Amino acid sequence: MIEKETKGIVLVADDSAEALGMINEALINEGYTVLVAMNGEQAISIANRMVPDIILMDIIMPIMDGVEACKELKKNSDLTDIPVIFMTGLSDKDYLFQSLDAGGVDYINKPVQFDELLARIKVHLRNSKSTRSAHKALNQIGQLAFTCDANAKIIWATNTAQKLLESAGINTDETSELMSEQIRFWLSSNPEKHGSLWLKDFDKPIQVCFLGRPAPGEYLLRLTNDDEISTRELFCERFSVTERESEVLFWLVRGKTNREIGQILSMSPRTVNKHLEPIFRKLGVENRTSATAVCLRFLSHH
């Protein structure tokens, strides 16, 4: 007998056994795998052992409420991207903004209307899958990227971005707040796409580039270290390429494909190819292999 493929793993946290039972039955009937917890601590313990695709979290629970549990879950890099939908009764409205500020993506009123619940789960699972695919791609190509909210609080960062920040000494609450203050002020001026900011007062110079807004209230930024900046400046001086062309050339020399360069620089592969035409002409070559060879030979003397 062939088992039916599950639509996803849903972790439900609610201190009401009756509510848990009804939600559990409804979700199982729709093809979901369900994990249940009766307080925030249990939810965290379960999520650490088996990562769910989405979490339904009651706001008011004993031992640890949903708001605190969500904050703790978001500290785990493996769980940061997991969407949390809060379930709230009319008396819980005072906690609603706190729950969304803690990292929740949505909320649903209790008693739960199952048609509405299933519709919201479907939407957030689809959005989450898209986000996680993008994050995975950025991680795989070594992109120095991170996302933050309007207060410049980091929501997610690639492994390489985290390492670069740590190497610059941005690894404590104090230094993280110093970085946030600078980025927050910069974002308040609505920088243009690909606009940049130099972070000051850290162990090494780091430039932040604005790539866009992947979601409401969310900013996608890319870090640029001193090595990249100096190499691009050398390319501009030696080959008379534009600043944008120097970015493309830098990643071309690093062996990235047009698709990967597009992901890094937030442009389409077609646009990358259009930039390569004048780059090849200025370098006096006909293809990317020859361009890479010319650049590497040039850099070896600097």
Side-chain angles (χ1 to χ4, degrees):
M1 182 178 177
I2 300 176
E3 292 186 2
K4 184 178 179 181
E5 184 179 355
T6 180
K7 290 183 178 180
I9 301 174
V10 183
L11 171 58
V12 185
D14 196 315
D15 62 323
S16 167
E18 181 181 2
L20 274 180
M22 290 190 295
I23 295 173
N24 178 64
E25 182 179 358
L27 293 176
I28 288 177
N29 289 339
E30 288 295 319
Y32 293 99
T33 297
V34 184
L35 308 174
V36 297
M38 297 198 73
N39 59 61
E41 282 190 355
Q42 286 183 8
I44 293 171
S45 177
I46 292 170
N48 285 330
R49 295 199 307 270
M50 180 178 288
V51 178
D53 295 302
I54 193 167
I55 299 172
L56 303 180
M57 185 84 73
D58 189 20
I59 291 182
I60 305 299
M61 292 184 291
I63 303 178
M64 178 184 285
D65 65 31
V67 175
E68 290 304 315
C70 187
K71 289 179 180 178
E72 289 300 314
L73 288 167
K74 295 301 178 180
K75 292 178 181 179
N76 185 334
S77 59
D78 292 330
L79 303 173
T80 300
D81 294 332
I82 307 302
V84 177
I85 299 177
F86 282 98
M87 298 180 291
T88 173
L90 292 176
S91 60
D92 304 337
K93 291 295 185 180
D94 290 342
Y95 298 90
L96 189 54
F97 290 118
Q98 295 179 35
S99 64
L100 296 177
D101 188 56
V105 297
D106 202 353
Y107 73 94
I108 189 167
N109 289 313
K110 299 174 73 175
V112 173
Q113 301 297 314
F114 292 109
D115 288 345
E116 179 185 2
L117 176 63
L118 293 171
R120 296 199 185 200
I121 288 175
K122 185 177 180 180
V123 168
H124 289 297
L125 279 177
R126 183 172 62 245
N127 292 342
S128 175
K129 183 177 180 180
S130 175
T131 298
R132 280 188 276 177
S133 294
H135 288 176
K136 183 178 180 181
L138 291 173
N139 254 322
Q140 288 177 335
I141 62 177
Q143 169 70 295
L144 294 167
F146 68 97
T147 57
C148 68
D149 60 21
N151 292 318
K153 178 182 177 182
I154 294 179
I155 300 172
W156 172 88
T158 62
N159 297 330
T160 49
Q162 290 174 341
K163 290 178 181 178
L164 178 59
L165 291 174
E166 289 174 1
S167 70
I170 306 175
N171 53 9
T172 66
D173 290 341
E174 183 177 353
T175 54
S176 294
E177 180 55 33
L178 177 60
M179 180 184 75
S180 293
E181 285 179 5
Q182 296 179 47
I183 295 177
R184 184 164 56 245
F185 181 76
W186 176 56
L187 291 178
S188 68
S189 65
N190 296 316
E192 294 184 0
K193 191 173 183 180
H194 304 301
S196 59
L197 166 75
W198 279 102
L199 297 178
K200 301 176 181 178
D201 303 321
F202 295 111
D203 294 348
K204 63 168 61 174
I206 295 180
Q207 189 181 48
V208 178
C209 178
F210 173 58
L211 297 183
R213 301 185 64 174
E218 189 172 313
Y219 299 82
L220 176 61
L221 307 175
R222 183 172 74 87
L223 300 173
T224 306
N225 58 21
D226 193 40
D227 174 60
E228 180 181 341
I229 293 297
S230 60
T231 300
R232 283 168 38 194
E233 289 177 346
L234 286 172
F235 286 161
C236 289
E237 182 179 345
R238 172 64 181 83
F239 302 115
S240 298
V241 295
T242 66
E243 184 175 344
R244 197 66 173 142
E245 290 168 352
S246 74
E247 291 180 310
V248 173
L249 187 55
F250 176 86
W251 292 107
L252 175 71
V253 174
R254 292 296 189 277
K256 302 301 183 183
T257 65
N258 284 9
R259 181 176 294 278
E260 290 171 334
I261 295 172
Q263 289 175 322
I264 292 171
L265 300 180
S266 189
M267 63 174 69
S268 70
R270 184 188 294 266
T271 302
V272 174
N273 202 49
K274 286 183 178 180
H275 281 300
L276 289 177
E277 294 176 8
I279 289 174
F280 291 163
R281 186 171 61 252
K282 292 174 181 179
L283 269 64
V285 299
E286 296 182 354
N287 55 55
R288 60 197 307 124
T289 301
S290 298
T292 300
V294 168
C295 290
L296 290 176
R297 187 161 55 247
F298 165 68
L299 291 173
S300 68
H301 294 92
H302 287 78

